[in-house]
Amino acid sequence: MARRITAFLEETQHQWLRQEARRRGVSVSALIREAIETLRAHQAWRPLDESPFWELVGAGRSRRKGPAISEHVDAWVYPVPSHRRPRKRLSGSKQRT
């Protein structure tokens, strides 16, 4: 069922809609419906508790001692590869110069 609406547009918006509709060979209404469907398809927002990722919160536990994962999330999610970590200094006479 189609619904009729009244919308107030800026003059430049109305001109653009008319020109674009003419260029595409469709009605202004069809162009507006297309824009709405495009927005709906790309809408990523949803309440956090409806996200499937919400189920992961608190699901894991670390066996490591030290700070909690939640306090250093970047280090867990984006760990530094071993070849990029700073070298540990050797103590005593084995220290490199």
Side-chain angles (χ1 to χ4, degrees):
M1 171 202 246
R3 298 278 182 147
R4 180 181 296 260
I5 66 163
T6 302
F8 293 96
L9 303 174
E10 299 292 330
E11 185 60 34
T12 56
Q13 293 171 327
H14 185 251
Q15 287 176 0
W16 181 86
L17 274 172
R18 288 181 52 214
Q19 291 170 356
E20 187 65 16
R22 190 177 309 118
R23 185 182 73 77
R24 293 184 184 196
V26 297
S27 68
V28 170
S29 294
L31 188 59
I32 292 170
R33 286 190 296 271
E34 179 186 334
I36 291 169
E37 288 306 311
T38 300
L39 283 171
R40 286 181 58 192
H42 290 93
Q43 185 181 39
W45 182 88
R46 67 169 87 170
L48 183 60
D49 60 349
E50 290 180 15
S51 169
F53 294 107
W54 185 249
E55 294 176 20
L56 296 175
V57 174
R61 303 220 187 279
S62 173
R63 292 187 179 150
R64 291 184 173 180
K65 292 184 179 184
I69 294 172
S70 61
E71 293 175 15
H72 299 280
V73 69
D74 286 341
W76 286 86
V77 176
Y78 309 107
V80 177
S82 58
H83 70 279
R84 303 275 309 219
R85 291 186 193 137
R87 292 184 183 175
K88 292 181 182 179
R89 294 194 171 210
L90 299 174
S91 62
S93 61
K94 295 182 181 180
Q95 190 172 7
R96 294 182 184 179
T97 55

